[in-house]
Amino acid sequence: MTENTPGESAASEGASEKSREAAPKKTPEHSGVDLARVALRAAKEQARARGDAAQQKKQARRGGLRSGARADGRDPMALGAAINRLLTERGWETPAAVGGVMGRWPQIVGEDLAKHCVPQKYDEDERVLTVQCDSTAWATQLRLLAPQVVARLNQDLGHGTVRLIKVQGPSGPARRFGPLRAPGSTGPGDTYG
């Protein structure tokens, strides 16, 4: 067992404090589904890279690139395949899936509810879907149905994609000041404080 002198222990404590201060702040940890998607994407990229390297070796042995009857990496890609590849490479699967749900909103929640409640935005960090309703009665109805709607959305998109539905009722008309406004007035704030 080694003994530390007082100078050594103070130096090691100072070094550990500096390493704690210099340590970068941690980003939020991904859930199990997100980790699985990242691992799958990395494995596919590695397999593609190994396949490309083997293909290049084979072509080099044959005397370089040749045009042939079979498809290779130089052929044009179908639009759907190009879009799917872009979504996968950029990690946009969830936002794209939520965008698809917004397009299929009437099939998910029903025609009656869809006529009066429209999805506005999706916050990916908070996993909250914001829905605007055209009356307070429909806003109340959607608040009561929110657990069932969240369950349907998660069934369609994957578990945990939507955690909460934020329901907004109708907004009032914009405040407009009349022609007889007092100079220097701030409007109703003068009276009501």
Side-chain angles (χ1 to χ4, degrees):
M1 186 167 171
T2 61
E3 292 184 25
N4 289 338
T5 60
E8 289 176 358
S9 63
S12 64
E13 287 176 11
S16 64
E17 286 178 17
K18 288 180 183 177
S19 65
R20 277 184 255 153
E21 291 173 3
K25 298 198 181 201
K26 291 185 178 180
T27 58
E29 295 294 324
H30 293 290
S31 67
V33 175
D34 294 333
L35 289 173
R37 284 187 185 133
V38 169
L40 178 63
R41 189 178 309 128
K44 283 182 178 180
E45 288 174 5
Q46 289 174 354
R48 189 178 302 120
R50 285 193 305 266
D52 289 344
Q55 185 73 17
Q56 287 174 357
K57 284 181 183 178
K58 187 186 292 184
Q59 287 174 351
R61 275 187 262 141
R62 283 191 288 171
L65 293 175
R66 292 188 207 168
S67 179
R70 297 212 179 6
D72 62 4
R74 299 174 297 155
D75 289 340
M77 187 181 290
L79 181 62
I83 290 174
N84 287 338
R85 182 175 171 188
L86 179 69
L87 291 175
T88 303
E89 287 174 355
R90 302 284 172 110
W92 294 340
E93 292 100 350
T94 302
V98 171
V101 164
M102 289 186 178
R104 293 180 289 120
W105 183 251
Q107 290 87 15
I108 293 172
V109 298
E111 293 292 329
D112 291 337
L113 194 60
K115 288 179 186 175
H116 302 283
C117 302
V118 179
Q120 295 294 318
K121 65 180 179 177
Y122 174 71
D123 183 7
E124 190 174 353
D125 296 332
E126 298 290 324
R127 297 182 181 163
V128 175
L129 179 67
T130 304
V131 179
Q132 178 79 40
C133 297
D134 61 0
S135 71
T136 55
W138 282 104
T140 303
Q141 183 69 22
L142 184 59
R143 284 186 187 104
L144 293 173
L145 293 173
Q148 289 89 1
V149 174
V150 168
R152 277 192 211 157
L153 290 170
N154 284 331
Q155 180 182 5
D156 196 34
L157 297 172
H159 180 68
T161 304
V162 178
R163 188 178 54 82
L164 179 71
I165 293 181
K166 182 179 176 184
V167 180
Q168 295 179 340
S171 59
R175 273 205 162 146
R176 298 188 180 190
F177 297 106
L180 300 175
R181 184 170 174 210
S185 170
T186 60
D190 286 347
T191 307
Y192 301 108

